[in-house]
Amino acid sequence: MKYISLIAVVLLFLSPLEGQTQENKIKRPNIIFIMSDDHAYQAISAYDNKLIETPNIDRLAKEGMLFTNASVTNSICAPSRATILTGKHTHINGKIDNHFPFDTTQVTFPQLFKKNGYKTAMFGKLHFGNNPKGVDEFMILPGQGNYINPDFIVTSGDTIRKQGYVTDIITDVSLDWLKREGTSDEPFMMMYLHKAPHRPWWPRPDKFKEFTQKTFPEPATLFDDYKNRGTAAKTAEMNLLQHMMYSHDSKIRPETLEKMKGKVLPVVEEYPNSFYGPYNRATAEQKAQYDPVLDSINNFFYENWPKMTDREKMKWKYQRYMQDYLGSISSVDDNVGRLLNYLDESGLAENTIVIYTSDQGFYLGEHGWFDKRFIYDESFKTPLLVRWPKVVQAGSIENEMVQNLDFAQTMLEAAGIQPPDDMQGESLIPLLKGNKKEWTRDAVYYQYYEYPSVHMVKRHYGLVNKAYKLVHFYYDVDEWELYDRLKDPNEMNNVYNDPAYAATVKKLKKELIELRKYYKDSPEQDQKYIDLYESSGKL
């Protein structure tokens, strides 16, 4: 009897466990995390279709949720990616800028997925580190990577070169992996990470030809004079006319510039090999596709640039910028469409969460700028679209204050994985399920550190809620700015010293102090990173 009872007890415990495991395998969703590099929300037609139509990315909004107040904690590539991987602010994970090292003892969310039975993969641009943790298979670009015939570091540690256009190649590899690994019983988490549309914006030859024939509407603030802003906006080095490079960015051949010596004003310093570095990666056949468009651009520049006014030059540089930037995005959208189509055709779409975002926003001529770094909206805000069949209501729009800090915890909760206690984000699951009452955050925290450095955007931190943005610029200045986000959406007027906003300033300053404490940031932390920066010899 004892023997029979023992068997019964064992069966009693084993049977539910086996059933539970099988049930979990069916219910645990697959996750595809898509991130592009420097993809401005203004360049997704679900947000705004003045510049470009992106029908495939828009599908995620039509079939899922569009977030209108998604933002980053630090608007620069590697720190943003470190925040996404760890669910922690950059002052905690150590990756405060593109130079300081990432704290490799930090646990990343792919590690947790792998530990909890998910197949994991990463394809595309990581930007830092050559051996991502927690992924069964990877193929990542070294550093920034290249658009034309790019090199990749693969799981074995070898570096290989693939011929073709980077956006297409990353998609090819991602689809190959899904076809091999996506149909088994185990759920999967795949990071599908595009290089585009990061500078220097080399579209695929067909897109290059197509988009150079287009003219794009100018932003209202293209000729901003920064008169109602502080020192930071006035001294940043990201103006299209003054700082965008002729060869690196506008695709003017060095020979053209040499022939025009003394006639190309304003003078802009170029990166070494900034034109031929990317161009010479192309095969003779690929160059033959690029050359007619390059000839056309260079001929126009040679014949017209010296005769143009500064205003006309600014307009020309803006158009050249948009033609290449948006041409690069067009390929991203096409390839997102390839992936979404495969999910539909294979039946995987039904149980797969698809997230689309960028590592930060980007200036598309607003305030006369390109690049990012600032807490101002075009840089601070980031696209976020989430499709989760049978969970997220199709066509829903969410305006709560969310951040890339929240992505890790959201994906972990969706997969039924307990996040570590030291993650600092908040799961977006309540919002995705339409349970707004469970969402308690009303403001987010931001801090940017990389100064003095390229583009010379001063160090600053701030608090942002739906109505206001309070910013403190520090280090070599001590200036505060306040923007009324509802009355001044273009952020043209700093009202910090306006008596009408005195009570608002007092309230927000108190909230900012509390928010810094909550996220374990402080003036002492600021000084720690200043001291490290100054002792590193980077100044």
Side-chain angles (χ1 to χ4, degrees):
M1 288 293 294
K2 287 181 181 178
Y3 181 72
I4 295 172
S5 298
L6 182 60
I7 292 174
V9 169
V10 170
L11 288 173
L12 181 66
F13 280 93
L14 282 180
S15 297
L17 282 172
E18 289 176 358
Q20 181 75 17
T21 302
Q22 191 61 35
E23 187 179 7
N24 283 347
K25 283 182 179 178
I26 295 170
K27 288 188 174 181
R28 297 173 84 189
N30 305 311
I31 298 175
I32 297 179
F33 181 78
I34 311 172
M35 183 164 68
S36 296
D37 195 312
D38 293 341
H39 191 171
Y41 64 91
Q42 315 93 283
I44 293 176
S45 48
Y47 287 96
D48 190 334
N49 66 355
K50 288 199 294 285
L51 290 174
I52 190 172
E53 293 291 339
T54 51
N56 296 299
I57 297 171
D58 289 0
R59 275 185 61 188
L60 298 175
K62 290 174 184 173
E63 299 168 6
M65 181 175 285
L66 177 80
F67 287 82
T68 60
N69 258 323
S71 64
V72 297
T73 64
N74 183 353
S75 185
I76 189 167
C77 297
S80 177
R81 291 158 191 269
T83 290
I84 290 168
L85 286 169
T86 63
K88 299 174 188 177
H89 275 275
T90 50
H91 63 271
I92 300 294
N93 66 47
K95 194 66 181 160
I96 60 165
D97 61 22
N98 280 339
H99 307 289
F100 273 92
F102 174 64
D103 177 1
T104 55
T105 66
Q106 297 285 329
V107 174
T108 65
F109 78 81
Q111 290 175 275
L112 298 172
F113 271 92
K114 184 174 181 179
K115 183 179 178 181
N116 284 273
Y118 269 71
K119 291 186 175 183
T120 57
M122 179 188 291
F123 303 114
K125 182 176 178 181
L126 174 60
H127 190 98
F128 66 94
N130 293 336
N131 188 19
K133 292 183 178 181
V135 289
D136 300 314
E137 189 173 332
F138 66 84
M139 190 185 82
I140 58 172
L141 294 158
Q144 290 288 1
N146 285 282
Y147 279 100
I148 304 167
N149 301 333
D151 297 328
F152 289 94
I153 301 165
V154 295
T155 315
S156 65
D158 296 329
T159 298
I160 62 172
R161 180 166 295 190
K162 285 186 167 282
Q163 187 167 322
Y165 188 66
V166 67
T167 309
D168 300 332
I169 294 168
I170 292 168
T171 306
D172 291 343
V173 174
S174 299
L175 287 172
D176 287 345
W177 187 85
L178 284 174
K179 290 169 184 175
R180 281 189 286 112
E181 305 290 346
T183 55
S184 64
D185 289 337
E186 294 90 354
F188 64 80
M189 189 286 296
M190 183 181 78
M191 300 185 76
Y192 167 51
L193 311 173
H194 285 294
K195 170 185 171 59
H198 193 280
R199 190 183 189 191
W201 316 301
W202 278 83
R204 201 174 61 194
D206 59 323
K207 302 286 187 182
F208 195 38
K209 180 179 180 180
E210 176 189 352
F211 276 76
T212 50
Q213 303 305 309
K214 296 176 181 282
T215 301
F216 300 94
E218 297 168 0
T221 60
L222 181 63
F223 294 97
D224 191 350
D225 61 8
Y226 320 115
K227 66 179 179 181
N228 295 319
R229 260 68 49 78
T231 306
K234 292 170 181 153
T235 59
E237 297 178 358
M238 44 206 280
N239 181 270
L240 293 177
L241 178 59
Q242 300 294 331
H243 305 113
M244 184 167 273
M245 299 176 187
Y246 298 105
S247 289
H248 186 65
D249 300 319
S250 298
K251 312 300 184 294
I252 304 303
R253 294 188 178 103
E255 295 89 340
T256 304
L257 296 176
E258 184 62 27
K259 282 194 299 182
M260 299 173 68
K261 210 164 189 177
K263 297 181 181 179
V264 180
L265 297 171
V267 174
V268 181
E269 185 177 349
E270 293 280 347
Y271 294 136
N273 206 23
S274 59
F275 177 85
Y276 282 110
Y279 176 78
N280 281 343
R281 297 188 67 85
T283 64
E285 182 181 356
Q286 291 166 331
K287 287 178 180 178
Q289 293 176 294
Y290 278 111
D291 281 343
V293 180
L294 289 169
D295 290 344
S296 174
I297 293 166
N298 278 259
N299 290 340
F300 180 90
F301 184 85
Y302 181 80
E303 292 169 6
N304 293 280
W305 189 261
K307 299 180 286 187
M308 290 182 181
T309 65
D310 281 354
R311 190 175 184 87
E312 289 169 335
K313 290 175 180 178
M314 183 77 155
K315 288 172 170 282
W316 184 87
K317 273 196 168 183
Y318 169 75
Q319 293 299 331
R320 274 276 50 249
Y321 172 32
M322 287 299 93
Q323 289 161 359
D324 291 351
Y325 179 92
L326 296 171
S328 301
I329 284 174
S330 183
S331 285
V332 172
D333 187 68
D334 290 348
N335 279 281
V336 168
R338 290 176 61 202
L339 183 132
L340 295 179
N341 289 342
Y342 173 74
L343 293 179
D344 289 344
E345 293 159 6
S346 65
L348 287 171
E350 185 178 348
N351 193 38
T352 299
I353 301 171
V354 180
I355 300 166
Y356 187 91
T357 191
S358 174
D359 51 356
Q360 62 262 319
F362 214 67
Y363 291 103
L364 305 185
E366 299 89 358
H367 307 292
W369 289 336
F370 65 104
D371 207 69
K372 55 246 182 183
R373 300 165 196 268
F374 274 113
I375 196 173
Y376 306 138
D377 269 7
E378 292 84 4
S379 165
F380 163 77
K381 288 176 66 173
T382 193
L384 179 61
L385 305 89
V386 181
R387 185 180 76 179
W388 189 356
K390 299 180 182 176
V391 175
V392 172
Q393 182 179 345
S396 51
I397 297 174
E398 182 53 72
N399 72 341
E400 293 298 330
M401 301 299 300
V402 306
Q403 280 192 304
N404 57 355
L405 186 70
D406 306 322
F407 295 170
Q409 281 169 268
T410 302
M411 288 184 273
L412 290 169
E413 182 177 336
I417 301 169
Q418 182 66 34
D421 293 337
D422 62 350
M423 279 189 172
Q424 295 182 302
E426 296 183 33
S427 170
L428 304 180
I429 297 296
L431 298 178
L432 292 170
K433 291 184 175 181
N435 301 327
K436 284 176 74 81
K437 289 181 180 178
E438 295 180 24
W439 186 257
T440 58
R441 179 197 287 154
D442 60 6
V444 296
Y445 179 61
Y446 178 92
Q447 169 128 233
Y448 174 78
Y449 300 85
E450 193 172 293
Y451 175 87
S453 189
V454 61
H455 297 302
M456 297 299 283
V457 172
K458 293 186 182 297
R459 294 171 185 245
H460 59 290
Y461 59 84
L463 172 153
V464 186
N465 61 31
K466 291 179 186 176
Y468 297 105
K469 182 175 293 182
L470 179 69
V471 193
H472 183 210
F473 290 92
Y474 68 98
Y475 182 58
D476 62 337
V477 293
D478 181 9
E479 296 181 1
W480 288 84
E481 295 181 1
L482 175 69
Y483 294 94
D484 187 323
R485 301 185 74 204
L486 302 179
K487 293 181 179 178
D488 180 23
N490 288 332
E491 298 173 315
M492 298 292 283
N493 297 294
N494 173 20
V495 294
Y496 179 79
N497 292 313
D498 185 334
Y501 288 88
T504 300
V505 168
K506 184 176 179 180
K507 177 177 180 290
L508 291 177
K509 275 194 168 182
K510 182 180 177 183
E511 291 178 6
L512 178 57
I513 290 170
E514 293 170 355
L515 203 57
R516 274 164 68 83
K517 286 180 182 176
Y518 179 77
Y519 288 118
K520 300 178 182 177
D521 203 5
S522 65
E524 292 76 22
Q525 276 276 57
D526 299 341
Q527 190 60 49
K528 167 190 164 184
Y529 285 117
I530 288 170
D531 292 343
L532 283 171
Y533 194 81
E534 291 180 344
S535 65
S536 70
K538 295 182 185 300
L539 293 177

